[in-house]
C-alpha cells in the first residue's frame, strides 16, 4: 500500500488553515527535562475546540468544492468526541450543516460540546464501528459529505501541520511522542517529521485497552479489536478494515509503539496539572505518562504532542485529588 500523504500536501494544508486555527506553542517542560535533555510540550490544548482535531477538520472542510450551483447539503462524521466537535466548528464557520455520529461510550461532556456548536448528534451503538454504519447510510441516502476522523488525506495533512511546526520551533528535535489511535495524527506528524528530519524518532503512544493500530501493525494489516472503556477515551475505536491511508503511514514512519496501563495514563493527567499547570484529557497525557513510566528515554531534545484538554471536570478532579485510575 503506497504512502499517499506527502510533505507538499502537509505544507499546503498549513497555508490553507492559517488564520483558522491556532499556531500552538511548544513550551519547555522543566519537570520532564533531565540530564540536559530538554523536553517540550506541543500544546494543542490551545485550539478553540480544545484539541488538535480542529486542524484536520478545518483542512478537510475548506477543501470541499462547495458552490452555489452544486451545494453539499452538509457534512457527516463518526467521532469519539473531539473530531466531531472540530467538524461542527469548521462546518459552522463555513455555513454548512454537520451531523456527528457517536457511540454510547463517548463521555457526555463531549457530546454536549458538539451539540453546543449547532451540529446534529446521533448516538448509535456501543462502538465507533456502529457509529460509522450510520455515517455510511447518511452518505448513501442523503448525500452528505463524509469527513472521516482519521483515514482521509486532507484530515491527515491537517494533523501533519503539527509536525511542521515542531520542526520549525525545535529544528534539532531527536524524539517526538504522539498519541496513537486511528493514526491520522501520528501518521501525519510522522510523515512531516521524517521528511524534514529523517534521523528523529517518532513514537506512537496508546493505552493497552483496545489499541487498534498497535494490533493492526503487529498483524501487518488492519484488524478489529474490542472497544473498551478507558481514561484515554479519545484513543478508542478501530482503524477500519478498509483503511486506505493512516495504517500505511504509521507502518512506514513510526519507529515504535508504546502501550500504557490505566494507572500510567492517570499519572500523566495528574502530572500535567500538578507540575505543568495543564488540564489534559487521558489521550493527551500519554506522552508525558510514557516518560514518567520509563517506557521511553530521550536521547536528545524531545517534543510531546499534548493533543487535547476535553476531559470531564469531575473526572479530572478525582484523578488529581483522589488518585482515581479508572
Amino acid at each position: 500500500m503506497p504512502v499517499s500523504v506527502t510533505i507538499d500536501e502537509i505544507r499546503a494544508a498549513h497555508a490553507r488553515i492559517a488564520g483558522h486555527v491556532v499556531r500552538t506553542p511548544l513550551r519547555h517542560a522543566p519537570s520532564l527535562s533531565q540530564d540536559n535533555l530538554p523536553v517540550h510540550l506541543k500544546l494543542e490544548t490551545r485550539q478553540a475546540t480544545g484539541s488538535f482535531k480542529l486542524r484536520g477538520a478545518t483542512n478537510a472542510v475548506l477543501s470541499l468544492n462547495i458552490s452555489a450551483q452544486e451545494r453539499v447539503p452538509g457534512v457527516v462524521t463518526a467521532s469519539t468526541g473531539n473530531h466531531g466537535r472540530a467538524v461542527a466548528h469548521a462546518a459552522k464557520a463555513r455555513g454548512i450543516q454537520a451531523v456527528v455520529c457517536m457511540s454510547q461510550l463517548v463521555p457526555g461532556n463531549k457530546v454536549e460540546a458538539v451539540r453546543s456548536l449547532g451540529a446534529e448528534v446521533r448516538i448509535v451503538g456501543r462502538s465507533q464501528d456502529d457509529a460509522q454504519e450510520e455515517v455510511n447510510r447518511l452518505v448513501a441516502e442523503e448525500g452528505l459529505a463524509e469527513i472521516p476522523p482519521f483515514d482521509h488525506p486532507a484530515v491527515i495533512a491537517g494533523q501533519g501541520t503539527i509536525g511542521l511546526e515542531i520542526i520549525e520551533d525545535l529544528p534539532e528535535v531527536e524524539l517526538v511522542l504522539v498519541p496513537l489511535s486511528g493514526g491520522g495524527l501520528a501518521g501525519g506528524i510522522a510523515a512531516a517529521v521524517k521528511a524534514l528530519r529523517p534521523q528523529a524518532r517518532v513514537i506512537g503512544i496508546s493505552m493497552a485497552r483496545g489499541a487498534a493500530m498497535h494490533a493492526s501493525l503487529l498483524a501487518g494489516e488492519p484488524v478489529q479489536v474490542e472497544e473498551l472503556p478507558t481514561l484515554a477515551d479519545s484513543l478508542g475505536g478501530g482503524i477500519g478494515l478498509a483503511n486506505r491511508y493512516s495504517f500505511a503511514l504509521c507502518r512506514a514512519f513510526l519507529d515504535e509503539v508504546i502501550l500504557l496501563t490505566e494507572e500510567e495514563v492517570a499519572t500523566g493527567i495528574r502530572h500535567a496539572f500538578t507540575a505543568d499547570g495543564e488540564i489534559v484529557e487521558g489521550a493527551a497525557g500519554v506522552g508525558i505518562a510514557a516518560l514518567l513510566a520509563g517506557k521511553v528515554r530521550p536521547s536528545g531534545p524531545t517534543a510531546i504532542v499534548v493533543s487535547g484538554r476535553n476531559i470531564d471536570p469531575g473526572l479530572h478532579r478525582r484523578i488529581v485529588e483522589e488518585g482515581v485510575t479508572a
Side-chain angles (χ1 to χ4, degrees):
M1 182 183 298
V3 174
S4 53
V5 177
T6 67
I7 187 63
D8 288 339
E9 290 172 304
I10 295 171
R11 286 191 172 113
H14 201 242
R16 188 177 295 115
I17 66 177
H20 298 276
V21 306
V22 174
R23 193 190 194 289
T24 55
L26 187 67
R27 198 187 80 185
H28 181 235
S31 68
L32 298 169
S33 303
Q34 297 181 0
D35 302 324
N36 295 318
L37 300 176
V39 175
H40 299 78
L41 304 179
K42 180 62 170 169
L43 296 173
E44 288 299 297
T45 51
R46 303 296 194 265
Q47 296 295 350
T49 58
S51 88
F52 76 95
K53 288 286 190 178
L54 190 58
R55 293 175 183 261
T58 298
N59 190 49
V61 169
L62 291 177
S63 298
L64 289 174
N65 183 19
I66 300 176
S67 66
Q69 293 76 27
E70 188 179 356
R71 188 160 183 84
V72 173
V75 295
V76 63
T77 191
S79 174
T80 54
N82 286 335
H83 176 67
R85 189 172 180 177
V87 169
H89 185 281
K92 183 177 181 180
R94 197 163 183 193
I96 58 177
Q97 179 60 32
V99 179
V100 179
C101 303
M102 296 185 280
S103 83
Q104 297 168 19
L105 292 180
V106 176
N109 68 303
K110 294 188 175 181
V111 174
E112 291 309 312
V114 173
R115 285 200 178 106
S116 72
L117 289 167
E120 177 186 346
V121 173
R122 299 194 182 188
I123 305 299
V124 185
R126 288 189 55 81
S127 73
Q128 186 85 330
D129 291 333
D130 292 339
Q132 184 61 44
E133 290 183 9
E134 177 67 3
V135 171
N136 296 342
R137 187 188 71 78
L138 290 170
V139 170
E141 298 180 9
E142 299 186 20
L144 299 184
E146 183 181 2
I147 308 292
F150 53 85
D151 195 36
H152 186 282
V155 171
I156 294 169
Q159 322 304 26
T161 61
I162 297 170
L164 287 184
E165 292 176 10
I166 288 173
I167 296 298
E168 288 175 359
D169 292 346
L170 191 65
E172 69 276 21
V173 67
E174 293 290 341
L175 175 65
V176 181
L177 303 181
V178 189
L180 176 62
S181 179
L185 176 66
I189 289 176
V193 170
K194 292 293 186 177
L196 300 173
R197 187 166 171 79
Q199 67 268 44
R201 298 176 68 224
V202 183
I203 297 179
I205 317 289
S206 193
M207 70 288 161
R209 292 175 60 83
M213 182 60 80
H214 177 253
S216 297
L217 291 171
L218 288 178
E221 61 182 4
V223 297
Q224 287 183 313
V225 299
E226 183 181 2
E227 191 170 341
L228 300 169
T230 171
L231 288 177
D233 56 272
S234 294
L235 302 185
I239 72 166
L241 295 181
N243 188 291
R244 298 176 61 192
Y245 306 102
S246 63
F247 173 76
L249 286 165
C250 288
R251 183 170 60 178
F253 294 130
L254 287 184
D255 293 286
E256 186 181 353
V257 174
I258 292 171
L259 301 184
L260 302 175
T261 66
E262 292 298 292
E263 291 78 8
E264 288 165 343
V265 174
T267 298
I269 296 171
R270 194 176 304 115
H271 182 93
F273 184 74
T274 57
D276 299 303
E278 296 291 334
I279 295 176
V280 305
E281 57 193 88
V286 294
I288 294 172
L291 276 186
L292 295 174
K295 291 186 172 181
V296 59
R297 298 187 182 280
S299 58
T302 297
I304 299 177
V305 178
V306 182
S307 54
R309 66 171 187 261
N310 299 321
I311 187 171
D312 178 83
L315 175 60
H316 186 265
R317 185 182 63 254
R318 293 195 300 274
I319 291 171
V320 172
E321 297 179 3
E322 303 171 22
V324 170
T325 58

